[in-house]
Amino acid sequence: MADPTIHFPGSLGELLQIRKRHPEAPVYAGGTFLLAQRSARFVSLPPHLITLQDVDELHRITRTERYLEFGAAVSVRELLQLGSGNVPGALRDALGHVGPPAVAGLATVGGNLAISGRLMTLVPVLALLDTRVEARRQGRSRWIAAGRVHRTDGTVDLGVDEVFTRVRVPLSSWTKQVFRRFGSELAPDSDPLTFCGLVRSSNQILEEIRIVGSAGTPQLIRDKSMEAELVGRRVPLSNREVRQALELFGEPDGDLSAIQRVRMRRLVKWFLLGLR
Ligand SMILES: Cc1cc2nc3c(=O)[nH]c(=O)nc-3n(C[C@H](O)[C@H](O)[C@H](O)COP(=O)(O)OP(=O)(O)OC[C@H]3O[C@@H](n4cnc5c(N)ncnc54)[C@H](O)[C@@H]3O)c2cc1C
């Protein structure tokens, strides 16, 4: 068998060309997920592999008043190093949960979004923040909402010759941002659950509220009708209002364990009761 070829494109143009020529070749970003998935002791490489390490465009970070935008190969640690003034608090907390420090130095956001079959730690938070992700192939660019990167069957909405290139996070001003995580998406037996809540209020009136949960399964847990019902209410919410909101929220849909269902409802209740 021929030796594997590892491609090191030095620019985005070159990356897209190679991707077109070798659509079957896996993209290697930080490699933390790809390597963790190997079943044998030694890594067996596919005939072609494309690494993103030398593609400058994928490592850039820019911040404007409205957006934080970064290349898909920016690492979790690089984003954490931007400091709290530059990264929304809930996203910072989520980034802080992606693996131990050695993993965070390699793990990329593009890689986190591109894992098929499950939603990793960053996905629900990025979705709640209205993040968009750019997918490119030669001659075409399109932007996908982070919450729609995964189809309902868990596959990633990425064509064979496409690659995630940029991530754009709107910088809205939130009065309260909360992130909590239990278990790990890599260990389904740990009943993983990620929770994120965002609130904007003014003069104690709720102007916007967003709540999402994820059990790592392809569907996010979100009830926009409950959120809409709460907008315009005065905080703190009364026990009665929280009870009514929970009735609207109902039982989370999808393939969840009893622990995940109970935990999600408790987190929603705790979040709503804590609004000031
Ligand atoms: C010990 C350990 C602990 C971990 N803990 C967590 C955790 O708590 N939470 C969590 O979310 N993850 C965790 N992970 C998994 C992993 O580290 C992260 O999900 C990470 O963000 C994956 O990014 P990566 O760059 O390493 O991806 P890679 O391993 O390089 O790639 C992952 C997948 O994405 C594809 N891909 C990568 N970049 C792109 C791109 N730009 N365009 C298209 N496809 C692309 C690859 O082809 C591959 O299919 C852990 C991993 C380890 C080893």
Side-chain angles (χ1 to χ4, degrees), residues 173-214:
S173 60
W174 298 104
T175 317
K176 180 171 172 145
Q177 304 184 44
V178 162
F179 173 84
R180 292 286 182 276
R181 189 178 78 149
F182 302 85
S184 164
E185 300 83 357
L186 293 174
D189 288 352
S190 65
D191 291 306
L193 189 72
T194 301
F195 173 89
C196 182
L198 304 173
V199 161
R200 180 167 33 253
S201 58
S202 173
N203 297 324
Q204 289 189 289
I205 301 293
L206 284 179
E207 290 180 348
E208 187 157 8
I209 178 163
R210 301 179 187 177
I211 295 176
V212 76
S214 166

mmCIF file of all heavy atoms in Angstrom, residues 173-214:
data_model
loop_
_atom_site.group_PDB
_atom_site.id
_atom_site.type_symbol
_atom_site.label_atom_id
_atom_site.label_comp_id
_atom_site.label_asym_id
_atom_site.label_seq_id
_atom_site.Cartn_x
_atom_site.Cartn_y
_atom_site.Cartn_z
ATOM 1 N N SER A 173 -25.418 42.670 24.041
ATOM 2 C CA SER A 173 -25.181 42.886 25.482
ATOM 3 C C SER A 173 -26.251 42.131 26.265
ATOM 4 O O SER A 173 -27.451 42.403 26.145
ATOM 5 C CB SER A 173 -25.219 44.374 25.807
ATOM 6 O OG SER A 173 -26.468 44.889 25.457
ATOM 7 N N TRP A 174 -25.812 41.155 27.023
ATOM 8 C CA TRP A 174 -26.723 40.347 27.835
ATOM 9 C C TRP A 174 -26.593 40.766 29.293
ATOM 10 O O TRP A 174 -25.487 40.986 29.777
ATOM 11 C CB TRP A 174 -26.393 38.853 27.684
ATOM 12 C CG TRP A 174 -26.555 38.373 26.282
ATOM 13 C CD1 TRP A 174 -25.574 38.110 25.382
ATOM 14 C CD2 TRP A 174 -27.784 38.119 25.604
ATOM 15 N NE1 TRP A 174 -26.101 37.710 24.182
ATOM 16 C CE2 TRP A 174 -27.464 37.701 24.293
ATOM 17 C CE3 TRP A 174 -29.129 38.203 25.969
ATOM 18 C CZ2 TRP A 174 -28.441 37.374 23.355
ATOM 19 C CZ3 TRP A 174 -30.099 37.870 25.025
ATOM 20 C CH2 TRP A 174 -29.750 37.465 23.742
ATOM 21 N N THR A 175 -27.724 40.829 29.972
ATOM 22 C CA THR A 175 -27.701 41.182 31.395
ATOM 23 C C THR A 175 -27.196 40.001 32.213
ATOM 24 O O THR A 175 -26.518 40.157 33.219
ATOM 25 C CB THR A 175 -29.138 41.542 31.879
ATOM 26 O OG1 THR A 175 -29.742 42.358 30.889
ATOM 27 C CG2 THR A 175 -29.114 42.241 33.210
ATOM 28 N N LYS A 176 -27.559 38.809 31.760
ATOM 29 C CA LYS A 176 -27.145 37.607 32.500
ATOM 30 C C LYS A 176 -26.841 36.496 31.506
ATOM 31 O O LYS A 176 -27.597 36.286 30.557
ATOM 32 C CB LYS A 176 -28.290 37.191 33.437
ATOM 33 C CG LYS A 176 -27.992 35.960 34.263
ATOM 34 C CD LYS A 176 -29.069 35.749 35.317
ATOM 35 C CE LYS A 176 -28.860 34.415 35.998
ATOM 36 N NZ LYS A 176 -29.199 34.387 37.382
ATOM 37 N N GLN A 177 -25.737 35.817 31.726
ATOM 38 C CA GLN A 177 -25.359 34.676 30.876
ATOM 39 C C GLN A 177 -24.948 33.531 31.800
ATOM 40 O O GLN A 177 -24.117 33.726 32.681
ATOM 41 C CB GLN A 177 -24.156 35.016 29.997
ATOM 42 C CG GLN A 177 -24.334 36.233 29.131
ATOM 43 C CD GLN A 177 -23.130 36.454 28.218
ATOM 44 O OE1 GLN A 177 -22.606 35.533 27.608
ATOM 45 N NE2 GLN A 177 -22.691 37.690 28.134
ATOM 46 N N VAL A 178 -25.528 32.387 31.566
ATOM 47 C CA VAL A 178 -25.223 31.249 32.434
ATOM 48 C C VAL A 178 -24.877 30.034 31.588
ATOM 49 O O VAL A 178 -25.525 29.786 30.558
ATOM 50 C CB VAL A 178 -26.447 30.925 33.328
ATOM 51 C CG1 VAL A 178 -26.348 29.537 33.908
ATOM 52 C CG2 VAL A 178 -26.578 31.935 34.456
ATOM 53 N N PHE A 179 -23.848 29.329 31.988
ATOM 54 C CA PHE A 179 -23.504 28.073 31.318
ATOM 55 C C PHE A 179 -23.257 27.017 32.391
ATOM 56 O O PHE A 179 -22.572 27.284 33.381
ATOM 57 C CB PHE A 179 -22.239 28.246 30.465
ATOM 58 C CG PHE A 179 -21.743 26.949 29.880
ATOM 59 C CD1 PHE A 179 -22.285 26.461 28.703
ATOM 60 C CD2 PHE A 179 -20.779 26.194 30.539
ATOM 61 C CE1 PHE A 179 -21.861 25.242 28.177
ATOM 62 C CE2 PHE A 179 -20.347 24.983 30.018
ATOM 63 C CZ PHE A 179 -20.887 24.513 28.835
ATOM 64 N N ARG A 180 -23.811 25.843 32.209
ATOM 65 C CA ARG A 180 -23.560 24.727 33.135
ATOM 66 C C ARG A 180 -23.373 23.461 32.311
ATOM 67 O O ARG A 180 -24.020 23.285 31.282
ATOM 68 C CB ARG A 180 -24.741 24.513 34.091
ATOM 69 C CG ARG A 180 -24.945 25.612 35.091
ATOM 70 C CD ARG A 180 -23.887 25.574 36.205
ATOM 71 N NE ARG A 180 -24.114 26.599 37.202
ATOM 72 C CZ ARG A 180 -23.718 27.869 37.118
ATOM 73 N NH1 ARG A 180 -23.071 28.276 36.042
ATOM 74 N NH2 ARG A 180 -23.967 28.732 38.081
ATOM 75 N N ARG A 181 -22.515 22.584 32.793
ATOM 76 C CA ARG A 181 -22.390 21.302 32.088
ATOM 77 C C ARG A 181 -22.259 20.157 33.078
ATOM 78 O O ARG A 181 -21.578 20.288 34.095
ATOM 79 C CB ARG A 181 -21.184 21.277 31.154
ATOM 80 C CG ARG A 181 -21.247 20.008 30.285
ATOM 81 C CD ARG A 181 -20.124 19.947 29.319
ATOM 82 N NE ARG A 181 -18.919 19.520 29.982
ATOM 83 C CZ ARG A 181 -17.974 18.819 29.381
ATOM 84 N NH1 ARG A 181 -18.108 18.485 28.120
ATOM 85 N NH2 ARG A 181 -16.896 18.477 30.020
ATOM 86 N N PHE A 182 -22.892 19.056 32.762
ATOM 87 C CA PHE A 182 -22.816 17.831 33.558
ATOM 88 C C PHE A 182 -22.357 16.716 32.634
ATOM 89 O O PHE A 182 -22.749 16.678 31.469
ATOM 90 C CB PHE A 182 -24.183 17.460 34.133
ATOM 91 C CG PHE A 182 -24.765 18.540 34.995
ATOM 92 C CD1 PHE A 182 -25.484 19.584 34.428
ATOM 93 C CD2 PHE A 182 -24.574 18.530 36.372
ATOM 94 C CE1 PHE A 182 -26.004 20.597 35.211
ATOM 95 C CE2 PHE A 182 -25.093 19.543 37.165
ATOM 96 C CZ PHE A 182 -25.807 20.573 36.580
ATOM 97 N N GLY A 183 -21.541 15.815 33.139
ATOM 98 C CA GLY A 183 -21.093 14.673 32.333
ATOM 99 C C GLY A 183 -20.267 15.127 31.142
ATOM 100 O O GLY A 183 -19.778 16.256 31.091
ATOM 101 N N SER A 184 -20.091 14.232 30.185
ATOM 102 C CA SER A 184 -19.314 14.563 28.990
ATOM 103 C C SER A 184 -19.966 13.948 27.760
ATOM 104 O O SER A 184 -20.384 12.786 27.780
ATOM 105 C CB SER A 184 -17.895 14.003 29.131
ATOM 106 O OG SER A 184 -17.277 13.985 27.862
ATOM 107 N N GLU A 185 -19.985 14.746 26.697
ATOM 108 C CA GLU A 185 -20.569 14.254 25.434
ATOM 109 C C GLU A 185 -19.808 13.050 24.907
ATOM 110 O O GLU A 185 -20.321 12.278 24.099
ATOM 111 C CB GLU A 185 -20.563 15.349 24.361
ATOM 112 C CG GLU A 185 -21.340 16.589 24.699
ATOM 113 C CD GLU A 185 -20.558 17.570 25.560
ATOM 114 O OE1 GLU A 185 -19.403 17.253 25.945
ATOM 115 O OE2 GLU A 185 -21.100 18.641 25.857
ATOM 116 N N LEU A 186 -18.560 12.908 25.341
ATOM 117 C CA LEU A 186 -17.762 11.763 24.874
ATOM 118 C C LEU A 186 -18.113 10.489 25.644
ATOM 119 O O LEU A 186 -17.657 9.409 25.289
ATOM 120 C CB LEU A 186 -16.261 12.064 25.036
ATOM 121 C CG LEU A 186 -15.712 13.172 24.135
ATOM 122 C CD1 LEU A 186 -14.270 13.483 24.484
ATOM 123 C CD2 LEU A 186 -15.824 12.770 22.664
ATOM 124 N N ALA A 187 -18.866 10.642 26.722
ATOM 125 C CA ALA A 187 -19.243 9.478 27.537
ATOM 126 C C ALA A 187 -20.752 9.490 27.732
ATOM 127 O O ALA A 187 -21.257 10.009 28.737
ATOM 128 C CB ALA A 187 -18.520 9.539 28.888
ATOM 129 N N PRO A 188 -21.509 8.948 26.768
ATOM 130 C CA PRO A 188 -22.978 8.991 26.859
ATOM 131 C C PRO A 188 -23.514 8.424 28.176
ATOM 132 O O PRO A 188 -24.563 8.861 28.653
ATOM 133 C CB PRO A 188 -23.428 8.153 25.658
ATOM 134 C CG PRO A 188 -22.272 8.218 24.687
ATOM 135 C CD PRO A 188 -21.034 8.324 25.526
ATOM 136 N N ASP A 189 -22.781 7.474 28.796
ATOM 137 C CA ASP A 189 -23.247 6.899 30.065
ATOM 138 C C ASP A 189 -23.230 7.911 31.209
ATOM 139 O O ASP A 189 -23.812 7.662 32.273
ATOM 140 C CB ASP A 189 -22.351 5.717 30.483
ATOM 141 C CG ASP A 189 -22.593 4.521 29.593
ATOM 142 O OD1 ASP A 189 -23.548 4.587 28.791
ATOM 143 O OD2 ASP A 189 -21.822 3.538 29.695
ATOM 144 N N SER A 190 -22.526 9.034 31.008
ATOM 145 C CA SER A 190 -22.457 10.041 32.083
ATOM 146 C C SER A 190 -23.680 10.972 32.061
ATOM 147 O O SER A 190 -23.696 11.979 32.755
ATOM 148 C CB SER A 190 -21.165 10.856 31.953
ATOM 149 O OG SER A 190 -21.185 11.620 30.743
ATOM 150 N N ASP A 191 -24.696 10.641 31.258
ATOM 151 C CA ASP A 191 -25.899 11.481 31.128
ATOM 152 C C ASP A 191 -25.530 12.944 30.876
ATOM 153 O O ASP A 191 -25.924 13.843 31.632
ATOM 154 C CB ASP A 191 -26.780 11.383 32.387
ATOM 155 C CG ASP A 191 -27.407 10.016 32.524
ATOM 156 O OD1 ASP A 191 -28.056 9.577 31.564
ATOM 157 O OD2 ASP A 191 -27.216 9.380 33.577
ATOM 158 N N PRO A 192 -24.759 13.198 29.813
ATOM 159 C CA PRO A 192 -24.301 14.572 29.578
ATOM 160 C C PRO A 192 -25.448 15.550 29.393
ATOM 161 O O PRO A 192 -26.472 15.209 28.808
ATOM 162 C CB PRO A 192 -23.477 14.460 28.279
ATOM 163 C CG PRO A 192 -23.953 13.225 27.610
ATOM 164 C CD PRO A 192 -24.365 12.288 28.708
ATOM 165 N N LEU A 193 -25.260 16.720 29.939
ATOM 166 C CA LEU A 193 -26.242 17.777 29.723
ATOM 167 C C LEU A 193 -25.531 19.129 29.782
ATOM 168 O O LEU A 193 -24.809 19.418 30.728
ATOM 169 C CB LEU A 193 -27.352 17.746 30.763
ATOM 170 C CG LEU A 193 -28.498 18.693 30.434
ATOM 171 C CD1 LEU A 193 -29.340 18.200 29.264
ATOM 172 C CD2 LEU A 193 -29.399 18.903 31.646
ATOM 173 N N THR A 194 -25.729 19.899 28.725
ATOM 174 C CA THR A 194 -25.190 21.253 28.679
ATOM 175 C C THR A 194 -26.372 22.201 28.711
ATOM 176 O O THR A 194 -27.365 21.999 28.012
ATOM 177 C CB THR A 194 -24.413 21.443 27.354
ATOM 178 O OG1 THR A 194 -23.374 20.477 27.329
ATOM 179 C CG2 THR A 194 -23.805 22.819 27.266
ATOM 180 N N PHE A 195 -26.245 23.232 29.520
ATOM 181 C CA PHE A 195 -27.339 24.199 29.670
ATOM 182 C C PHE A 195 -26.787 25.602 29.470
ATOM 183 O O PHE A 195 -25.694 25.917 29.948
ATOM 184 C CB PHE A 195 -27.930 24.084 31.077
ATOM 185 C CG PHE A 195 -28.958 25.135 31.399
ATOM 186 C CD1 PHE A 195 -30.292 24.923 31.120
ATOM 187 C CD2 PHE A 195 -28.574 26.346 31.974
ATOM 188 C CE1 PHE A 195 -31.246 25.900 31.405
ATOM 189 C CE2 PHE A 195 -29.518 27.323 32.265
ATOM 190 C CZ PHE A 195 -30.852 27.094 31.983
ATOM 191 N N CYS A 196 -27.532 26.429 28.760
ATOM 192 C CA CYS A 196 -27.113 27.817 28.609
ATOM 193 C C CYS A 196 -28.356 28.713 28.653
ATOM 194 O O CYS A 196 -29.386 28.393 28.060
ATOM 195 C CB CYS A 196 -26.354 27.999 27.292
ATOM 196 S SG CYS A 196 -25.760 29.680 27.051
ATOM 197 N N GLY A 197 -28.251 29.808 29.358
ATOM 198 C CA GLY A 197 -29.350 30.766 29.430
ATOM 199 C C GLY A 197 -28.827 32.180 29.228
ATOM 200 O O GLY A 197 -27.758 32.533 29.735
ATOM 201 N N LEU A 198 -29.550 32.975 28.451
ATOM 202 C CA LEU A 198 -29.174 34.369 28.199
ATOM 203 C C LEU A 198 -30.386 35.251 28.458
ATOM 204 O O LEU A 198 -31.509 34.890 28.073
ATOM 205 C CB LEU A 198 -28.758 34.562 26.728
ATOM 206 C CG LEU A 198 -27.634 33.698 26.161
ATOM 207 C CD1 LEU A 198 -27.516 33.954 24.660
ATOM 208 C CD2 LEU A 198 -26.316 34.006 26.852
ATOM 209 N N VAL A 199 -30.138 36.371 29.078
ATOM 210 C CA VAL A 199 -31.237 37.288 29.366
ATOM 211 C C VAL A 199 -30.792 38.726 29.128
ATOM 212 O O VAL A 199 -29.680 39.092 29.473
ATOM 213 C CB VAL A 199 -31.676 37.137 30.851
ATOM 214 C CG1 VAL A 199 -32.459 38.351 31.299
ATOM 215 C CG2 VAL A 199 -32.509 35.904 31.030
ATOM 216 N N ARG A 200 -31.703 39.478 28.521
ATOM 217 C CA ARG A 200 -31.473 40.926 28.470
ATOM 218 C C ARG A 200 -32.694 41.581 29.109
ATOM 219 O O ARG A 200 -33.835 41.300 28.720
ATOM 220 C CB ARG A 200 -31.328 41.410 27.025
ATOM 221 C CG ARG A 200 -31.099 42.899 26.963
ATOM 222 C CD ARG A 200 -30.649 43.434 25.615
ATOM 223 N NE ARG A 200 -31.184 42.732 24.500
ATOM 224 C CZ ARG A 200 -30.481 41.893 23.717
ATOM 225 N NH1 ARG A 200 -29.206 41.703 23.935
ATOM 226 N NH2 ARG A 200 -31.059 41.273 22.720
ATOM 227 N N SER A 201 -32.430 42.412 30.129
ATOM 228 C CA SER A 201 -33.544 43.088 30.778
ATOM 229 C C SER A 201 -33.189 44.557 30.963
ATOM 230 O O SER A 201 -32.019 44.929 30.967
ATOM 231 C CB SER A 201 -33.868 42.430 32.120
ATOM 232 O OG SER A 201 -32.736 42.464 32.951
ATOM 233 N N SER A 202 -34.212 45.344 31.085
ATOM 234 C CA SER A 202 -34.007 46.770 31.300
ATOM 235 C C SER A 202 -35.081 47.236 32.274
ATOM 236 O O SER A 202 -36.265 46.897 32.095
ATOM 237 C CB SER A 202 -34.121 47.483 29.952
ATOM 238 O OG SER A 202 -34.095 48.858 30.141
ATOM 239 N N ASN A 203 -34.676 47.980 33.288
ATOM 240 C CA ASN A 203 -35.618 48.418 34.333
ATOM 241 C C ASN A 203 -36.456 47.247 34.845
ATOM 242 O O ASN A 203 -37.666 47.366 34.994
ATOM 243 C CB ASN A 203 -36.544 49.514 33.810
ATOM 244 C CG ASN A 203 -35.762 50.750 33.436
ATOM 245 O OD1 ASN A 203 -34.774 51.084 34.101
ATOM 246 N ND2 ASN A 203 -36.154 51.392 32.352
ATOM 247 N N GLN A 204 -35.782 46.126 35.035
ATOM 248 C CA GLN A 204 -36.425 44.899 35.570
ATOM 249 C C GLN A 204 -37.511 44.317 34.667
ATOM 250 O O GLN A 204 -38.361 43.544 35.114
ATOM 251 C CB GLN A 204 -36.990 45.166 36.974
ATOM 252 C CG GLN A 204 -35.878 45.326 37.999
ATOM 253 C CD GLN A 204 -36.420 45.376 39.385
ATOM 254 O OE1 GLN A 204 -37.050 46.364 39.766
ATOM 255 N NE2 GLN A 204 -36.205 44.323 40.140
ATOM 256 N N ILE A 205 -37.494 44.700 33.395
ATOM 257 C CA ILE A 205 -38.436 44.093 32.444
ATOM 258 C C ILE A 205 -37.629 43.207 31.492
ATOM 259 O O ILE A 205 -36.612 43.642 30.941
ATOM 260 C CB ILE A 205 -39.189 45.169 31.619
ATOM 261 C CG1 ILE A 205 -39.968 46.112 32.526
ATOM 262 C CG2 ILE A 205 -40.101 44.516 30.591
ATOM 263 C CD1 ILE A 205 -41.127 45.487 33.271
ATOM 264 N N LEU A 206 -38.099 41.980 31.290
ATOM 265 C CA LEU A 206 -37.389 41.054 30.402
ATOM 266 C C LEU A 206 -37.591 41.477 28.945
ATOM 267 O O LEU A 206 -38.719 41.517 28.457
ATOM 268 C CB LEU A 206 -37.935 39.630 30.560
ATOM 269 C CG LEU A 206 -37.532 38.847 31.803
ATOM 270 C CD1 LEU A 206 -38.179 37.477 31.787
ATOM 271 C CD2 LEU A 206 -36.016 38.711 31.875
ATOM 272 N N GLU A 207 -36.506 41.804 28.299
ATOM 273 C CA GLU A 207 -36.600 42.189 26.882
ATOM 274 C C GLU A 207 -36.346 40.986 25.978
ATOM 275 O O GLU A 207 -36.902 40.876 24.901
ATOM 276 C CB GLU A 207 -35.583 43.287 26.578
ATOM 277 C CG GLU A 207 -35.950 44.600 27.219
ATOM 278 C CD GLU A 207 -34.935 45.692 26.930
ATOM 279 O OE1 GLU A 207 -33.834 45.378 26.420
ATOM 280 O OE2 GLU A 207 -35.233 46.841 27.226
ATOM 281 N N GLU A 208 -35.480 40.126 26.434
ATOM 282 C CA GLU A 208 -35.195 38.917 25.648
ATOM 283 C C GLU A 208 -34.716 37.818 26.589
ATOM 284 O O GLU A 208 -33.968 38.088 27.532
ATOM 285 C CB GLU A 208 -34.122 39.217 24.593
ATOM 286 C CG GLU A 208 -33.938 38.053 23.670
ATOM 287 C CD GLU A 208 -33.348 38.426 22.313
ATOM 288 O OE1 GLU A 208 -32.940 39.576 22.121
ATOM 289 O OE2 GLU A 208 -33.293 37.516 21.469
ATOM 290 N N ILE A 209 -35.133 36.617 26.322
ATOM 291 C CA ILE A 209 -34.661 35.483 27.114
ATOM 292 C C ILE A 209 -34.499 34.285 26.180
ATOM 293 O O ILE A 209 -35.355 34.034 25.320
ATOM 294 C CB ILE A 209 -35.621 35.192 28.305
ATOM 295 C CG1 ILE A 209 -35.122 33.957 29.082
ATOM 296 C CG2 ILE A 209 -37.066 35.017 27.874
ATOM 297 C CD1 ILE A 209 -35.730 33.848 30.475
ATOM 298 N N ARG A 210 -33.376 33.612 26.318
ATOM 299 C CA ARG A 210 -33.112 32.418 25.496
ATOM 300 C C ARG A 210 -32.567 31.322 26.407
ATOM 301 O O ARG A 210 -31.673 31.584 27.218
ATOM 302 C CB ARG A 210 -32.051 32.700 24.424
ATOM 303 C CG ARG A 210 -32.406 33.809 23.473
ATOM 304 C CD ARG A 210 -31.283 34.001 22.476
ATOM 305 N NE ARG A 210 -31.508 35.168 21.648
ATOM 306 C CZ ARG A 210 -30.658 35.620 20.729
ATOM 307 N NH1 ARG A 210 -29.514 34.988 20.533
ATOM 308 N NH2 ARG A 210 -30.920 36.690 20.026
ATOM 309 N N ILE A 211 -33.082 30.136 26.225
ATOM 310 C CA ILE A 211 -32.627 29.005 27.047
ATOM 311 C C ILE A 211 -32.425 27.800 26.141
ATOM 312 O O ILE A 211 -33.287 27.480 25.315
ATOM 313 C CB ILE A 211 -33.684 28.658 28.129
ATOM 314 C CG1 ILE A 211 -33.823 29.820 29.119
ATOM 315 C CG2 ILE A 211 -33.298 27.390 28.870
ATOM 316 C CD1 ILE A 211 -34.906 29.612 30.156
ATOM 317 N N VAL A 212 -31.295 27.154 26.282
ATOM 318 C CA VAL A 212 -31.069 25.950 25.472
ATOM 319 C C VAL A 212 -30.432 24.861 26.328
ATOM 320 O O VAL A 212 -29.727 25.148 27.304
ATOM 321 C CB VAL A 212 -30.168 26.273 24.253
ATOM 322 C CG1 VAL A 212 -28.707 26.425 24.643
ATOM 323 C CG2 VAL A 212 -30.283 25.202 23.174
ATOM 324 N N GLY A 213 -30.719 23.630 25.960
ATOM 325 C CA GLY A 213 -30.057 22.495 26.594
ATOM 326 C C GLY A 213 -29.608 21.550 25.497
ATOM 327 O O GLY A 213 -30.102 21.592 24.366
ATOM 328 N N SER A 214 -28.620 20.729 25.838
ATOM 329 C CA SER A 214 -28.194 19.705 24.888
ATOM 330 C C SER A 214 -27.735 18.481 25.656
ATOM 331 O O SER A 214 -26.983 18.591 26.630
ATOM 332 C CB SER A 214 -27.047 20.233 24.022
ATOM 333 O OG SER A 214 -26.439 19.151 23.337
#
